[in-house]
Amino acid sequence: MKIPVVDIGTCTLCMGCVAVCPEVFRENDAGYIEVIELDAYPESCVNEAIKYCPEDCISWEEQS
């Protein structure tokens, strides 16, 4: 299964991912972007977030 991952070290909190894909990305209480735990992730929505991320800090990761 593929899951989206955010590299918070390079994330500038532009909130673009939250704007285009709020069902997957959110800002947590600590002020960082996090991926909401889901059974499956909407690929087209996550790919939109990846496309619009100015820092290229979102990627897909294979989970076993």
Side-chain angles (χ1 to χ4, degrees):
M1 177 171 121
K2 289 193 316 185
I3 64 163
V5 176
V6 178
D7 178 354
I8 60 170
T10 56
C11 177
T12 58
L13 295 171
C14 75
M15 305 298 279
C17 57
V18 176
V20 299
C21 196
E23 57 266 59
V24 175
F25 301 97
R26 69 177 170 212
E27 184 178 2
N28 65 20
D29 293 339
Y32 295 104
I33 298 300
E34 69 180 5
V35 175
I36 299 167
E37 240 181 84
L38 300 172
D39 291 331
Y41 293 93
E43 201 163 324
S44 61
C45 182
V46 173
N47 286 339
E48 261 322 88
I50 290 170
K51 185 168 108 180
Y52 287 108
C53 179
E55 302 303 326
D56 291 325
C57 60
I58 305 169
S59 60
W60 285 106
E61 193 173 273
E62 284 293 333
Q63 292 287 10
S64 49

